[in-house]
Amino acid sequence: MAPSDERTGWRARLTSPTATALFALCFVLLIGLIFSGDGAFYKWSTHRDALRQASVYGILACGMTFVIITAGIDLSVGSVLALVAVAFSILSIHKDWSPWLTIPACVAIGAACGATSGAVIAKLRIQPFIVTLAMMVFARGLAKTISGGMKVSTAMQRPDGSWTAAPVPDIFKAIDSRLLGDNISVVSLIFIACIIVSWIILARLRWGRYLYAIGGNEEAARLSGVPVVAMKILAYSLAGAFSAVAGLCQAAQEQQGDPEAGIGYELTAIAIVVIGGTNLMGGRGGIGLTLLGTLTIGYLDKILSVNAVPEASRLMLTGVIIIVAVLLQRRKD
Amino acid sequence: MYTMQAVAGPTQTDTPLFAMTGICKTFGVQQVLRDVAFDLRAGEVHVLAGENGAGKSTLMRILGGIILADHGHSHVNGSEVLFRNPRDAANSGVAIIHQELSLVGPMSVADNLFLGHESSTAGWLHQTGTAQRTRDVLSRVSLRIDPRRAVDSLPISSQQLVEIAKALALDAQIIVMDEPTSALSEPEVRNLFARIADLKSQGCGIIYITHRLEEIYTIADRISVLRDGALVATRDRSDLPPDELVRLMVGRSISDQAPRRTVTCNDLRLRVQHCTVRATRAGVPPIVSDVSFDVRRGEILGVVGLEGSGVSELLWATFGALANRATSEITIDGQRIRINSPRDAIDAGIALVTNDRKRTGLILGMDIVQNATLAALPQLSPFTWLNHSAETSLASQSTQQLSLRAASMRQHVSTLSGGNQQKVVLAKWMGTNPRVLLLDDPTRGVDVGAKHEIYLLMNQWSEQGRSIVFSSSEWPELLQVSDRIIVMHRGRIVASFEGGAATPADLLRAAMGSTRDE
């Protein structure tokens, strides 16, 4: 152990997780400046779209951050996203519920899924991987059940068998719109709001401190009076609630509720958190890192697509980047 | 190995099976073994006795090739050996059977017996030959079980015999057993002793470590006593009566005098009645059985016991940390309270400093402030909002009182010395302003200076009227600090002494389960 205070040494600062995550993002941006896709990278609209496309993943990653800080994992976020997208579409398109009722109900559905996982994990002491894998399958099945296995869209069948299109609900249009002179998507603003809320919980509330303590040393936390069971349920409920928010955005963007939506999103969310530098062993990390991770993944994808790199190659490259980023993040102590 | 078996029979005792001479080992500045000479004959049980921290486990780790001695020589059957790693030791016929067994739970008994030494040709396992050898070694320990069973489906006592059989499968001659009976019931202990007698007749030498006087005088042929890292005696059992053994174990000089204070204890503060902690396994006697004790205001109560006596569990149970296994009735300041979780205990004004700060005391990835305020956080953050300035001021206040030395309050606790880490743990609990402090070996692994400071602090706290229940592996110091001492053996209180009225030998005699009264 170095005797010097690790927060003041410049060398320590350069190797801190934030610095490393920032370095990775700058590296990706530098690639974008060089391979700009015939100048597309120099247009604001490219950045706006990159941010919009990364936002749904970023919202999921916010929720995932809480869980990973407690040394857990949540594989169900993609399925919960689909469940909420379906529920949101049914309530908004077919039931004509007011958004003031629909949105809280949808967030509650997500939080309930997470609370269920959290309660089983903390009370029955089953591994998070198993429990959330089960919830992933269960929520997907529930989404297919309530949607009848089909996409819930504005297309409606009349009693005589012919098809008509219901109007797209205003709340869908609102979420899918852009603000500030067409310069930023509402979905991106929702993502930024999620980041702020997560930051408050993790850095300003006692709950956040307890989540770090549980991830750092669960037994020491318990012996210090930390309500471990309640805090784990809280972490998974937050992950569920953020998945629900992502589901709302997904439904609005697609103008439908697709029970097959969000397959594999949980892995992207985990990748974002890990690339940011939050430790899968728990106890370390933060929401700022998740923001940097979201931007890194989002820009990487955008830069490869403006350069017309085929999707197959993009996937392989992303795999390589994840390993490189984690190697850079590895602490030297 | 086979040639050795041919010459070394149970009757041949002139060349010892194993001998160590001049063994020295230093960790940092602390010399834990000084010029130790130890030998083991074929066909004998040689008990290694000593207080906690006398150097027994270090000596056994050298024998097992886990660590290297700084100086000294080892001989097996008269020829010099050097164990650089556990495999060297195993190849020379050494097997160590630890309290925590080293079997692979989900694998079968047969697979465990030959793990790492499978008989095979180009990777193909010899199934039939292995089955025959499995039956042979299992019969040598009289274990009649299906060798295809998974090890973790067997009771602990059978797992232990599998571990011994594994040693025999590797032709081990020198078998070390470290507190093998700690998790066994009476009939299982009797069975183990019968198996040890079998091993003796087969020409094995057994080094046996125990804290139970009764066991020593049941199975020992010879007894060696380690004290403060030096081997003070090796005698035949008949030449070493129990009183003499105890005297040899404790007869050390007290290097740093703990301060003595005079506090008049008055009102009753804490009363624990009928505390029982069940073992994690059925059929084994409880770890703590029906223990009751009182602590008065401002009193320091010392609790003494050897490893496995239930002292830590008693303190944990009082703190509500073993809620699913423990029952007890707790009264504080005349008020009967229910303690089902550490939170309940903290709210009732109880604090617990555990004996392992890295595993159960600190969050190593957090800084001093975050650790020092963890237990008091509900008071510091109304409506769950953290108040950073209140946190910092509480943390600096409580760490200053303990004269913690750190470059910054934002320093990670993993970078602090052992003594300063322990002060962070103490600061965490003083921040909750406790009425009762349960201190489980609070000076473990801290340097002499910090140790002295901790004793001074304990005096200070008791003068403030706080009550302290204190256990320590360093008995001379515990005798100096405590107003009263209770001694535990196998989960029960077997003796109690007024402070100053007892000697370390009195404590040890009681803690080893001697029923004789002085």
Side-chain angles (χ1 to χ4, degrees):
Chain A
M1 287 293 165
S4 66
D5 185 348
E6 65 179 80
R7 297 213 173 198
T8 52
W10 62 270
R11 187 189 288 271
R13 245 176 222 200
L14 276 183
T15 55
S16 76
T18 316
T20 324
L22 210 52
F23 176 77
L25 176 60
C26 290
F27 183 71
V28 167
L29 290 176
L30 187 68
I31 294 176
L33 290 175
I34 297 166
F35 302 98
S36 63
D38 291 333
F41 195 75
Y42 300 116
K43 295 199 188 96
W44 173 248
S45 62
T46 306
H47 296 267
R48 179 195 65 200
D49 293 347
L51 193 56
R52 183 185 63 79
Q53 285 159 12
S55 289
V56 168
Y57 296 120
I59 295 166
L60 292 177
C62 286
M64 190 68 74
T65 306
F66 296 106
V67 171
I68 289 182
I69 281 174
T70 67
I73 197 88
D74 190 347
L75 300 178
S76 69
V77 294
S79 295
V80 173
L81 174 147
L83 173 63
V84 168
V86 167
F88 188 39
S89 301
I90 292 174
L91 295 177
S92 302
I93 300 172
H94 297 280
K95 307 275 185 215
D96 267 338
W97 280 29
S98 142
W100 299 109
L101 217 55
T102 317
I103 291 175
C106 286
V107 173
I109 291 171
C113 290
T116 308
S117 301
V120 173
I121 289 162
K123 277 269 184 199
L124 306 182
R125 293 169 178 273
I126 305 179
Q127 289 148 335
F129 189 96
I130 312 274
V131 174
T132 59
L133 182 69
M135 179 56 77
M136 173 174 119
V137 178
F138 179 85
R140 181 72 62 191
L142 189 58
K144 289 187 181 181
T145 305
I146 62 173
S147 66
M150 298 198 302
K151 291 175 180 165
V152 180
S153 67
T154 51
M156 280 195 258
Q157 205 164 19
R158 287 212 190 89
D160 62 8
S162 65
W163 288 86
T164 180
V168 174
D170 290 343
I171 184 67
F172 278 33
K173 290 182 195 155
I175 292 174
D176 197 31
S177 63
R178 298 188 192 124
L179 291 180
L180 304 174
D182 224 24
N183 277 325
I184 189 146
S185 317
V186 170
V187 175
S188 300
L189 291 174
I190 292 173
F191 168 52
I192 291 165
C194 288
I195 289 281
I196 293 169
V197 169
S198 305
W199 180 81
I200 289 172
I201 294 171
L202 284 175
R204 282 287 172 269
L205 299 190
R206 184 169 71 217
W207 296 342
R209 180 70 55 78
Y210 283 171
L211 296 178
Y212 281 104
I214 290 169
N217 186 340
E218 186 171 329
E219 186 66 350
R222 184 177 79 92
L223 292 173
S224 300
V226 172
V228 173
V229 170
M231 285 299 118
K232 282 192 175 176
I233 293 174
L234 173 74
Y236 287 90
S237 304
L238 286 169
F242 280 99
S243 311
V245 172
L248 300 176
C249 297
Q250 181 88 6
Q253 283 180 349
E254 295 184 351
Q255 300 194 346
Q256 64 180 12
D258 181 358
E260 304 282 353
I263 292 177
Y265 282 25
E266 58 282 338
L267 301 180
T268 308
I270 294 166
I272 286 172
V273 175
V274 169
I275 285 178
T278 294
N279 195 324
L280 274 182
M281 305 297 286
R284 288 177 206 269
I287 205 68
L289 298 176
T290 297
L291 173 62
L292 293 173
T294 309
L295 295 176
T296 306
I297 284 274
Y299 271 115
L300 183 68
D301 205 52
K302 193 72 194 170
I303 289 162
L304 294 173
S305 78
V306 297
N307 286 290
V309 177
E311 204 213 344
S313 318
R314 271 150 63 187
L315 288 174
M316 290 194 290
L317 254 169
T318 309
V320 172
I321 301 266
I322 290 172
I323 293 299
V324 171
V326 172
L327 281 176
L328 285 176
Q329 290 287 358
R330 184 184 286 176
R331 292 173 68 90
K332 282 142 200 96
D333 55 12
Chain B
M1 290 309 302
Y2 290 103
T3 52
M4 187 193 78
Q5 264 178 324
V7 292
T11 50
Q12 185 180 356
T13 50
D14 39 351
T15 306
L17 195 56
F18 175 77
M20 294 168 122
T21 49
I23 300 289
C24 295
K25 182 71 193 175
T26 303
F27 289 125
V29 293
Q30 200 191 358
Q31 189 167 15
V32 287
L33 289 176
R34 306 156 204 266
D35 196 20
V36 171
F38 180 85
D39 69 300
L40 178 70
R41 297 173 191 149
E44 77 163 347
V45 173
H46 193 154
V47 165
L48 190 57
E51 285 187 287
N52 300 343
K56 292 172 302 203
S57 56
T58 308
L59 189 64
M60 291 306 107
R61 285 168 73 198
I62 290 171
L63 171 59
I66 299 162
I67 54 173
L68 270 172
D70 299 338
H71 304 287
H73 302 276
S74 301
H75 298 264
V76 171
N77 275 319
S79 47
E80 178 149 11
V81 289
L82 176 62
F83 300 153
R84 286 192 187 78
N85 52 51
R87 208 175 173 92
D88 284 353
N91 289 340
S92 293
V94 175
I96 299 191
I97 291 146
H98 293 279
Q99 280 168 280
E100 297 85 27
L101 302 171
S102 58
L103 299 168
V104 182
M107 276 171 51
S108 73
V109 170
D111 289 345
N112 264 289
L113 289 177
F114 300 102
L115 185 62
H117 307 271
E118 293 85 355
S119 140
S120 64
T121 307
W124 283 90
L125 295 174
H126 296 165
Q127 299 289 353
T128 46
T130 303
Q132 181 56 44
R133 282 179 66 198
T134 302
R135 277 192 295 278
D136 287 350
V137 290
L138 288 180
S139 71
R140 281 179 72 189
V141 294
S142 306
L143 190 59
R144 278 175 292 277
I145 50 165
D146 180 355
R148 289 167 302 184
R149 271 181 75 175
V151 158
D152 55 11
S153 72
L154 301 170
I156 297 281
S157 54
S158 302
Q159 291 188 23
Q160 209 165 38
L161 292 175
V162 172
E163 183 95 33
I164 295 170
K166 184 179 170 185
L168 296 176
L170 296 175
D171 295 321
Q173 292 278 298
I174 302 155
I175 299 174
V176 181
M177 297 188 187
D178 186 0
E179 298 250 12
T181 56
S182 57
L184 301 188
S185 64
E186 278 305 325
E188 290 169 342
V189 170
R190 275 197 297 278
N191 185 43
L192 178 71
F193 285 0
R195 301 291 78 76
I196 288 175
D198 295 345
L199 292 175
K200 283 168 66 171
S201 68
Q202 291 163 17
C204 294
I206 291 149
I207 300 172
Y208 192 97
I209 298 175
T210 183
H211 284 304
R212 295 178 182 169
L213 218 47
E214 182 196 335
E215 281 179 15
I216 295 177
Y217 286 93
T218 308
I219 64 161
D221 294 304
R222 283 195 300 162
I223 303 167
S224 284
V225 181
L226 266 177
R227 185 174 75 215
D228 293 339
L231 198 111
V232 292
T234 297
R235 309 234 188 110
D236 286 340
R237 175 175 73 181
S238 50
D239 296 340
L240 188 60
D243 276 357
E244 175 77 356
L245 170 65
V246 168
R247 196 188 60 74
L248 286 170
M249 283 169 70
V250 296
R252 67 171 160 190
S253 58
I254 299 158
S255 50
D256 51 311
Q257 296 273 313
R260 180 83 200 148
R261 93 237 127 88
T262 45
V263 170
T264 45
C265 305
N266 26 43
D267 321 344
L268 186 66
R269 166 54 58 75
L270 171 73
R271 164 164 279 179
V272 175
Q273 284 173 299
H274 310 302
C275 179
T276 296
V277 179
R278 280 183 287 117
T280 42
R281 183 165 82 88
V284 172
I287 297 167
V288 176
S289 51
D290 196 20
V291 165
S292 303
F293 65 93
D294 291 342
V295 194
R296 284 166 291 178
R297 220 178 115 84
E299 185 181 34
I300 299 181
L301 175 72
V303 189
V304 162
L306 294 161
E307 283 151 42
S309 61
V311 171
S312 295
E313 286 82 0
L314 177 64
L315 299 185
W316 279 55
T318 307
F319 190 65
L322 299 174
N324 48 353
R325 294 202 279 140
T327 51
S328 65
E329 292 166 19
I330 293 170
T331 312
I332 292 187
D333 287 336
Q335 218 180 346
R336 182 66 204 283
I337 49 168
R338 294 183 67 83
I339 295 182
N340 292 322
S341 70
R343 186 78 255 163
D344 293 345
I346 295 166
D347 293 342
I350 305 179
L352 170 69
V353 174
T354 63
N355 62 12
D356 187 342
R357 59 182 163 269
K358 289 194 171 151
R359 276 191 49 240
T360 52
L362 293 169
I363 317 272
L364 289 171
M366 286 187 162
D367 62 30
I368 295 173
V369 173
Q370 290 171 337
N371 269 287
T373 57
L374 192 57
L377 218 48
Q379 286 87 56
L380 290 176
S381 49
F383 310 110
T384 189
W385 273 95
L386 291 176
N387 180 340
H388 288 273
S389 61
E391 274 188 66
T392 312
S393 74
L394 175 75
S396 14
Q397 194 190 330
S398 37
T399 51
Q400 262 164 27
Q401 282 168 3
L402 303 172
S403 53
L404 174 91
R405 281 169 289 273
S408 138
M409 291 298 287
R410 289 286 167 196
Q411 197 174 338
H412 276 201
V413 293
S414 58
T415 63
L416 296 173
S417 71
N420 282 321
Q421 285 186 347
Q422 192 68 355
K423 285 181 183 172
V424 175
V425 175
L426 292 169
K428 171 172 80 181
W429 291 114
M430 294 320 288
T432 66
N433 193 18
R435 291 186 278 183
V436 177
L437 280 149
L438 310 172
L439 308 179
D440 190 4
D441 212 352
T443 58
R444 179 183 283 191
V446 306
D447 59 88
V448 177
K451 210 176 264 184
H452 193 75
E453 285 178 76
I454 289 173
Y455 291 132
L456 286 176
L457 286 164
M458 286 171 59
N459 282 345
Q460 207 178 311
W461 294 330
S462 78
E463 278 158 22
Q464 292 164 1
R466 303 181 206 275
S467 305
I468 297 174
V469 182
F470 167 49
S471 94
S472 173
S473 48
E474 314 205 20
W475 294 359
E477 284 148 48
L478 182 132
L479 279 163
Q480 298 248 321
V481 175
S482 307
D483 298 307
R484 204 153 51 85
I485 295 162
I486 54 179
V487 182
M488 288 184 72
H489 174 70
R490 307 186 89 165
R492 294 175 193 280
I493 294 178
V494 290
S496 75
F497 300 95
E498 288 302 311
T503 64
D506 295 333
L507 298 184
L508 187 60
R509 207 171 291 119
M512 291 177 88
S514 165
T515 46
R516 239 197 54 190
D517 285 334
E518 288 277 343

